[in-house]
Amino acid sequence: MEPSGSTAMSSASNHSPNSTGGGCLWEVSDKARLCRFLCYGSERDTYTAREEGRVSVESAGALLSMLQEGRGAEVVEEVKRFTQDGRAVRLGPSFFALALCSQHSELKTRQAAFKALKEVCRDPAHLFSFIQNKKDLKEGMKCGIWGRALRKAVSDWYNKQDAMSLAVAVTKCKQREGWSHQDLLRLSHTKPANEAIALISKYVTKGWKEVQVAYSDKENSEEVVKVLSYLEVVEKVKHSCDETEVVNLIEEHKLEREQLLTDHLKSKQVWRALLKEMPLHSVLRILGKMTSNKILEPGSSETQAVCDRIQSETALKKARIHPFSILLASENYKRGQGYQGKTKWEPDSSILKAMDSAYYKSFMNLEPVGKRFVVAVDVSTSLSSIVPGTSVSTAVAAAAITMIFARSETDTHVLAYSEGALVPCSISADMTLAQATVELVKIPGGSTDCTLPITWATENGKAVDVFIILTNNPLWAFTASPVESLKKHRQKSGANSKLVMCGLTSIGNTVADTEDSGLLSICGFDLGALSVIRNLAQDLI
C-alpha cells in the first residue's frame, strides 16, 4: 500500500541487489577512507559544506597506511580518477596526496606520481599548489624539493603544453601561493622542447623587451608568430590607458579579466566587453556587483544580452550548469546585498526572470545515477531557517533537492514526516520550485523521528539503494537508531542500502556510524553535497 506521503516515480529498476546482512561488507577500509579524503578532504564520514581547510599529514592516516603497505601506485590511480572524472568536490586534497606520493621512499610510487603530474595538475594554479604542498611536506628537513625527478616533471609540464594554451595560461595565472612561472622555470632548469615554448619561457623569465630584441629580426615559424602576436596584445593592453583600445583588444582577442590592470576594471565599458565571453559560472557570481555598478541597467542591451545567455540552453549545456548553482546564484541576487562589504543593488526583474527560466532548463544537465532513492524531508520544525553561507531558506533548499532527484532518477520516492508518522506530501516531478516549497511549508510541525522513512520502506517491501534524510534540526531525537533501522532494511530487502543524513542548518552535528561505509552525514548544504551523495550512491567513496 502506497502512503499518501510518497511520490513513486517508477517501480522498475535494473538493480539486482545482493544480500548484505553480514558485517565485513560495510567495514570502512583504508581505500574507502582515501576516497573520502580525495573527494572532500576528510577521512571521516562527515561532509561540511563550504569548508575549505588546508589538509595535513595528520588528516591523511589511510593515505599513509596505503603508502606504507606498498600501495602507492594504487593511490596515484585514485588521485587521477578523482581529478579527471569530476568526482572531487575539492581539488586540494588530490594535490596534497600527489605531493606526498612524489616524495615517498618507494621508487615506483615516486615515478607514478611524477608521471601523473600533468594529468592531475591541469592549470598553473594546480601546479603551484602541488609545489607548495611539496615544500610544506619538506618543512624542517635539510634536503630541498628540487631533485632531478621534480625538475623533469615540471619541465615536462611546460614542454607538453600546446603553445597557445600555455601563452594564455601564463598570462592569466602568473603566480599563486608564493610561486610564479619564473620561479618554476628557473628552478626546474627547463630546456624548451620547441621554439614556441622557448619564446614563452623567455617572455616569463626575461620579459617582453628581451623577447622583442630576440625575435624582431628572426625568421619565425607560423606557431611562433602566432604566440608572439598574442603576447604583444597582452603587453599592449597592460600599458594602455585608452578605454576604447582596451575594449577593442578584449573583444578581438578574447582577453580575460586576469590579463587586465586594476584600473581597467574601473571602466563600465571594459566590464561590458568582458561579460560577452566570460564563462557562465563567473557571470552568475558577479551579477550583483554588475547591477550595483550600473554595468547592467534595466532595459539596457547589455542586460538583455546577459539574460539571453543565462537562459540559453546551448550556453547552459556547454557550461554544464547545475540547477542548484542557478538556485544559489538566484537567491543571492534576489537578496540585493553581498555577504561582505557594503555592496548593495536593486535586483533587476528581467535577470530574475531569466534565472528562473535557466533553473528549469538546467535540469537537462543532470545525469541519472540509476539507483533507487527515498528523499525524506523532516517537517517537524519550521523550514524558515537559512542554509548557512547561502541566501536559501531550508524550505526552498529541501524542495530543490527533492526536485533534483525526482526529475533525474526514475525510481524516487519523496516523503515527509512529522509527529511520529509520515504525513501527506504531494511533491511530484512536474511541479515548479515554488509549488514544491509550498507543499513542504504547509505541513504542521511536531516531534521528529528520522527512522520513519527507513521503517516505511522496510514494512512496505520497498528495496532502497539510498535514503536521503533532510532535516532542519541540529540535533536529532530517535525512537530507534537510524543505524539499526538501516541494517534491518538491508537484511529484509537484500539491498546494499546507504543512508545520508543532511542537517541543512547543522555546523557539525552528525549521526553516522564511522564503522559503516554506507553512512554519511552532511552539515549544511551546497553543490558539493550533491556530488558527495552521487559518489556514495555509486560506491566511489
mmCIF file of all heavy atoms in Angstrom, residues 428-460:
data_model
loop_
_atom_site.group_PDB
_atom_site.id
_atom_site.type_symbol
_atom_site.label_atom_id
_atom_site.label_comp_id
_atom_site.label_asym_id
_atom_site.label_seq_id
_atom_site.Cartn_x
_atom_site.Cartn_y
_atom_site.Cartn_z
ATOM 1 N N SER A 428 5.738 16.342 -6.765
ATOM 2 C CA SER A 428 5.914 15.500 -7.951
ATOM 3 C C SER A 428 6.940 16.117 -8.892
ATOM 4 O O SER A 428 7.299 17.290 -8.763
ATOM 5 C CB SER A 428 4.570 15.335 -8.689
ATOM 6 O OG SER A 428 4.075 16.598 -9.092
ATOM 7 N N ALA A 429 7.388 15.322 -9.842
ATOM 8 C CA ALA A 429 8.467 15.744 -10.746
ATOM 9 C C ALA A 429 8.077 16.920 -11.634
ATOM 10 O O ALA A 429 8.945 17.660 -12.101
ATOM 11 C CB ALA A 429 8.898 14.564 -11.617
ATOM 12 N N ASP A 430 6.774 17.121 -11.867
ATOM 13 C CA ASP A 430 6.354 18.187 -12.781
ATOM 14 C C ASP A 430 6.014 19.494 -12.071
ATOM 15 O O ASP A 430 5.561 20.450 -12.681
ATOM 16 C CB ASP A 430 5.169 17.727 -13.627
ATOM 17 C CG ASP A 430 3.979 17.276 -12.787
ATOM 18 O OD1 ASP A 430 4.109 17.256 -11.542
ATOM 19 O OD2 ASP A 430 2.937 16.942 -13.377
ATOM 20 N N MET A 431 6.268 19.558 -10.766
ATOM 21 C CA MET A 431 5.989 20.783 -10.018
ATOM 22 C C MET A 431 7.067 21.832 -10.253
ATOM 23 O O MET A 431 8.203 21.506 -10.587
ATOM 24 C CB MET A 431 5.934 20.488 -8.511
ATOM 25 C CG MET A 431 4.615 19.952 -8.024
ATOM 26 S SD MET A 431 4.653 19.785 -6.210
ATOM 27 C CE MET A 431 2.926 19.442 -5.900
ATOM 28 N N THR A 432 6.704 23.089 -10.021
ATOM 29 C CA THR A 432 7.703 24.147 -10.012
ATOM 30 C C THR A 432 8.337 24.174 -8.625
ATOM 31 O O THR A 432 7.814 23.576 -7.677
ATOM 32 C CB THR A 432 7.083 25.526 -10.295
ATOM 33 O OG1 THR A 432 6.186 25.859 -9.209
ATOM 34 C CG2 THR A 432 6.327 25.535 -11.616
ATOM 35 N N LEU A 433 9.430 24.900 -8.501
ATOM 36 C CA LEU A 433 10.110 25.004 -7.210
ATOM 37 C C LEU A 433 9.194 25.671 -6.186
ATOM 38 O O LEU A 433 9.125 25.239 -5.025
ATOM 39 C CB LEU A 433 11.406 25.811 -7.359
ATOM 40 C CG LEU A 433 12.235 26.018 -6.084
ATOM 41 C CD1 LEU A 433 12.666 24.685 -5.486
ATOM 42 C CD2 LEU A 433 13.458 26.876 -6.386
ATOM 43 N N ALA A 434 8.470 26.702 -6.606
ATOM 44 C CA ALA A 434 7.563 27.402 -5.688
ATOM 45 C C ALA A 434 6.468 26.471 -5.192
ATOM 46 O O ALA A 434 6.126 26.462 -4.002
ATOM 47 C CB ALA A 434 6.959 28.619 -6.388
ATOM 48 N N GLN A 435 5.892 25.656 -6.093
ATOM 49 C CA GLN A 435 4.837 24.720 -5.703
ATOM 50 C C GLN A 435 5.358 23.664 -4.723
ATOM 51 O O GLN A 435 4.689 23.328 -3.745
ATOM 52 C CB GLN A 435 4.263 24.033 -6.947
ATOM 53 C CG GLN A 435 3.451 24.964 -7.832
ATOM 54 C CD GLN A 435 3.109 24.332 -9.184
ATOM 55 O OE1 GLN A 435 3.816 23.445 -9.675
ATOM 56 N NE2 GLN A 435 2.028 24.813 -9.804
ATOM 57 N N ALA A 436 6.577 23.157 -4.989
ATOM 58 C CA ALA A 436 7.159 22.146 -4.106
ATOM 59 C C ALA A 436 7.449 22.734 -2.727
ATOM 60 O O ALA A 436 7.243 22.072 -1.697
ATOM 61 C CB ALA A 436 8.443 21.598 -4.724
ATOM 62 N N THR A 437 7.898 23.988 -2.693
ATOM 63 C CA THR A 437 8.178 24.650 -1.416
ATOM 64 C C THR A 437 6.911 24.821 -0.607
ATOM 65 O O THR A 437 6.881 24.569 0.606
ATOM 66 C CB THR A 437 8.842 26.029 -1.655
ATOM 67 O OG1 THR A 437 10.014 25.858 -2.455
ATOM 68 C CG2 THR A 437 9.220 26.681 -0.342
ATOM 69 N N VAL A 438 5.820 25.243 -1.271
ATOM 70 C CA VAL A 438 4.524 25.419 -0.597
ATOM 71 C C VAL A 438 4.056 24.106 0.013
ATOM 72 O O VAL A 438 3.546 24.063 1.142
ATOM 73 C CB VAL A 438 3.464 25.972 -1.587
ATOM 74 C CG1 VAL A 438 2.063 25.862 -0.997
ATOM 75 C CG2 VAL A 438 3.783 27.417 -1.931
ATOM 76 N N GLU A 439 4.253 23.001 -0.703
ATOM 77 C CA GLU A 439 3.844 21.687 -0.195
ATOM 78 C C GLU A 439 4.536 21.362 1.122
ATOM 79 O O GLU A 439 3.951 20.761 2.014
ATOM 80 C CB GLU A 439 4.159 20.595 -1.231
ATOM 81 C CG GLU A 439 3.139 20.451 -2.322
ATOM 82 C CD GLU A 439 1.754 20.078 -1.795
ATOM 83 O OE1 GLU A 439 1.665 19.168 -0.942
ATOM 84 O OE2 GLU A 439 0.780 20.717 -2.207
ATOM 85 N N LEU A 440 5.803 21.750 1.239
ATOM 86 C CA LEU A 440 6.564 21.432 2.451
ATOM 87 C C LEU A 440 6.204 22.337 3.625
ATOM 88 O O LEU A 440 6.054 21.866 4.753
ATOM 89 C CB LEU A 440 8.065 21.520 2.170
ATOM 90 C CG LEU A 440 8.653 20.458 1.226
ATOM 91 C CD1 LEU A 440 10.143 20.714 1.029
ATOM 92 C CD2 LEU A 440 8.441 19.049 1.784
ATOM 93 N N VAL A 441 6.061 23.640 3.364
ATOM 94 C CA VAL A 441 5.850 24.567 4.483
ATOM 95 C C VAL A 441 4.431 24.501 5.037
ATOM 96 O O VAL A 441 4.191 24.931 6.169
ATOM 97 C CB VAL A 441 6.191 26.024 4.084
ATOM 98 C CG1 VAL A 441 7.643 26.148 3.721
ATOM 99 C CG2 VAL A 441 5.304 26.522 2.948
ATOM 100 N N LYS A 442 3.474 23.948 4.296
ATOM 101 C CA LYS A 442 2.096 23.910 4.799
ATOM 102 C C LYS A 442 1.857 22.748 5.763
ATOM 103 O O LYS A 442 0.832 22.679 6.427
ATOM 104 C CB LYS A 442 1.110 23.838 3.625
ATOM 105 C CG LYS A 442 1.011 22.475 2.954
ATOM 106 C CD LYS A 442 0.005 22.522 1.816
ATOM 107 C CE LYS A 442 -0.187 21.142 1.187
ATOM 108 N NZ LYS A 442 -1.114 21.191 0.035
ATOM 109 N N ILE A 443 2.841 21.811 5.844
ATOM 110 C CA ILE A 443 2.684 20.649 6.720
ATOM 111 C C ILE A 443 2.944 21.066 8.163
ATOM 112 O O ILE A 443 3.949 21.705 8.451
ATOM 113 C CB ILE A 443 3.659 19.523 6.301
ATOM 114 C CG1 ILE A 443 3.363 19.087 4.861
ATOM 115 C CG2 ILE A 443 3.566 18.335 7.243
ATOM 116 C CD1 ILE A 443 4.409 18.171 4.262
ATOM 117 N N PRO A 444 2.028 20.722 9.110
ATOM 118 C CA PRO A 444 2.224 21.123 10.509
ATOM 119 C C PRO A 444 3.425 20.438 11.144
ATOM 120 O O PRO A 444 3.795 19.324 10.777
ATOM 121 C CB PRO A 444 0.924 20.668 11.185
ATOM 122 C CG PRO A 444 0.418 19.548 10.327
ATOM 123 C CD PRO A 444 0.803 19.922 8.921
ATOM 124 N N GLY A 445 4.055 21.126 12.113
ATOM 125 C CA GLY A 445 5.236 20.577 12.778
ATOM 126 C C GLY A 445 4.875 19.658 13.931
ATOM 127 O O GLY A 445 3.713 19.402 14.227
ATOM 128 N N GLY A 446 5.898 19.164 14.602
ATOM 129 C CA GLY A 446 5.699 18.260 15.734
ATOM 130 C C GLY A 446 7.007 17.621 16.131
ATOM 131 O O GLY A 446 8.078 18.139 15.840
ATOM 132 N N SER A 447 6.943 16.478 16.763
ATOM 133 C CA SER A 447 8.166 15.767 17.148
ATOM 134 C C SER A 447 8.777 15.104 15.921
ATOM 135 O O SER A 447 8.134 14.980 14.888
ATOM 136 C CB SER A 447 7.843 14.712 18.211
ATOM 137 O OG SER A 447 6.899 13.791 17.697
ATOM 138 N N THR A 448 10.025 14.653 16.053
ATOM 139 C CA THR A 448 10.708 14.105 14.888
ATOM 140 C C THR A 448 11.261 12.716 15.140
ATOM 141 O O THR A 448 11.631 12.383 16.266
ATOM 142 C CB THR A 448 11.862 15.032 14.443
ATOM 143 O OG1 THR A 448 12.442 14.510 13.254
ATOM 144 C CG2 THR A 448 12.947 15.119 15.497
ATOM 145 N N ASP A 449 11.305 11.916 14.094
ATOM 146 C CA ASP A 449 11.893 10.575 14.164
ATOM 147 C C ASP A 449 12.428 10.245 12.779
ATOM 148 O O ASP A 449 11.692 9.892 11.866
ATOM 149 C CB ASP A 449 10.841 9.550 14.598
ATOM 150 C CG ASP A 449 11.408 8.137 14.667
ATOM 151 O OD1 ASP A 449 12.606 7.970 14.371
ATOM 152 O OD2 ASP A 449 10.654 7.202 15.012
ATOM 153 N N CYS A 450 13.753 10.375 12.624
ATOM 154 C CA CYS A 450 14.364 10.215 11.307
ATOM 155 C C CYS A 450 14.429 8.766 10.827
ATOM 156 O O CYS A 450 14.880 8.509 9.709
ATOM 157 C CB CYS A 450 15.772 10.807 11.319
ATOM 158 S SG CYS A 450 15.769 12.605 11.435
ATOM 159 N N THR A 451 13.995 7.828 11.650
ATOM 160 C CA THR A 451 13.992 6.416 11.212
ATOM 161 C C THR A 451 12.726 6.074 10.430
ATOM 162 O O THR A 451 12.665 5.025 9.791
ATOM 163 C CB THR A 451 14.097 5.461 12.416
ATOM 164 O OG1 THR A 451 12.906 5.575 13.210
ATOM 165 C CG2 THR A 451 15.311 5.780 13.275
ATOM 166 N N LEU A 452 11.729 6.964 10.473
ATOM 167 C CA LEU A 452 10.436 6.657 9.853
ATOM 168 C C LEU A 452 10.520 6.307 8.365
ATOM 169 O O LEU A 452 9.890 5.338 7.922
ATOM 170 C CB LEU A 452 9.461 7.819 10.061
ATOM 171 C CG LEU A 452 8.897 7.971 11.491
ATOM 172 C CD1 LEU A 452 8.161 9.282 11.614
ATOM 173 C CD2 LEU A 452 7.974 6.799 11.821
ATOM 174 N N PRO A 453 11.259 7.051 7.541
ATOM 175 C CA PRO A 453 11.335 6.702 6.116
ATOM 176 C C PRO A 453 11.936 5.307 5.888
ATOM 177 O O PRO A 453 11.490 4.586 4.982
ATOM 178 C CB PRO A 453 12.245 7.792 5.536
ATOM 179 C CG PRO A 453 12.127 8.937 6.482
ATOM 180 C CD PRO A 453 11.985 8.316 7.831
ATOM 181 N N ILE A 454 12.936 4.937 6.703
ATOM 182 C CA ILE A 454 13.557 3.615 6.553
ATOM 183 C C ILE A 454 12.570 2.531 6.966
ATOM 184 O O ILE A 454 12.416 1.513 6.278
ATOM 185 C CB ILE A 454 14.847 3.519 7.403
ATOM 186 C CG1 ILE A 454 15.803 4.667 7.046
ATOM 187 C CG2 ILE A 454 15.535 2.176 7.190
ATOM 188 C CD1 ILE A 454 17.020 4.777 7.958
ATOM 189 N N THR A 455 11.866 2.772 8.086
ATOM 190 C CA THR A 455 10.868 1.804 8.573
ATOM 191 C C THR A 455 9.749 1.630 7.551
ATOM 192 O O THR A 455 9.294 0.507 7.286
ATOM 193 C CB THR A 455 10.280 2.275 9.916
ATOM 194 O OG1 THR A 455 11.353 2.467 10.846
ATOM 195 C CG2 THR A 455 9.300 1.264 10.473
ATOM 196 N N TRP A 456 9.320 2.762 6.950
ATOM 197 C CA TRP A 456 8.259 2.683 5.931
ATOM 198 C C TRP A 456 8.691 1.789 4.765
ATOM 199 O O TRP A 456 7.938 0.920 4.313
ATOM 200 C CB TRP A 456 7.928 4.088 5.407
ATOM 201 C CG TRP A 456 7.101 4.045 4.148
ATOM 202 C CD1 TRP A 456 5.769 3.827 4.049
ATOM 203 C CD2 TRP A 456 7.589 4.149 2.804
ATOM 204 N NE1 TRP A 456 5.384 3.791 2.733
ATOM 205 C CE2 TRP A 456 6.481 3.983 1.944
ATOM 206 C CE3 TRP A 456 8.847 4.360 2.247
ATOM 207 C CZ2 TRP A 456 6.595 4.037 0.557
ATOM 208 C CZ3 TRP A 456 8.965 4.419 0.870
ATOM 209 C CH2 TRP A 456 7.856 4.266 0.037
ATOM 210 N N ALA A 457 9.898 2.006 4.269
ATOM 211 C CA ALA A 457 10.392 1.214 3.134
ATOM 212 C C ALA A 457 10.492 -0.264 3.502
ATOM 213 O O ALA A 457 10.125 -1.145 2.709
ATOM 214 C CB ALA A 457 11.758 1.732 2.699
ATOM 215 N N THR A 458 10.955 -0.544 4.711
ATOM 216 C CA THR A 458 11.107 -1.939 5.156
ATOM 217 C C THR A 458 9.748 -2.621 5.262
ATOM 218 O O THR A 458 9.556 -3.738 4.756
ATOM 219 C CB THR A 458 11.835 -1.982 6.522
ATOM 220 O OG1 THR A 458 13.061 -1.272 6.430
ATOM 221 C CG2 THR A 458 12.124 -3.420 6.936
ATOM 222 N N GLU A 459 8.798 -1.949 5.904
ATOM 223 C CA GLU A 459 7.473 -2.546 6.126
ATOM 224 C C GLU A 459 6.669 -2.683 4.846
ATOM 225 O O GLU A 459 5.794 -3.547 4.745
ATOM 226 C CB GLU A 459 6.709 -1.709 7.151
ATOM 227 C CG GLU A 459 7.308 -1.800 8.557
ATOM 228 C CD GLU A 459 6.571 -0.929 9.557
ATOM 229 O OE1 GLU A 459 5.699 -0.115 9.117
ATOM 230 O OE2 GLU A 459 6.861 -1.044 10.760
ATOM 231 N N ASN A 460 6.951 -1.819 3.856
ATOM 232 C CA ASN A 460 6.190 -1.874 2.600
ATOM 233 C C ASN A 460 6.923 -2.611 1.480
ATOM 234 O O ASN A 460 6.512 -2.563 0.320
ATOM 235 C CB ASN A 460 5.847 -0.459 2.136
ATOM 236 C CG ASN A 460 4.747 0.182 2.963
ATOM 237 O OD1 ASN A 460 3.561 -0.058 2.732
ATOM 238 N ND2 ASN A 460 5.134 0.962 3.966
#
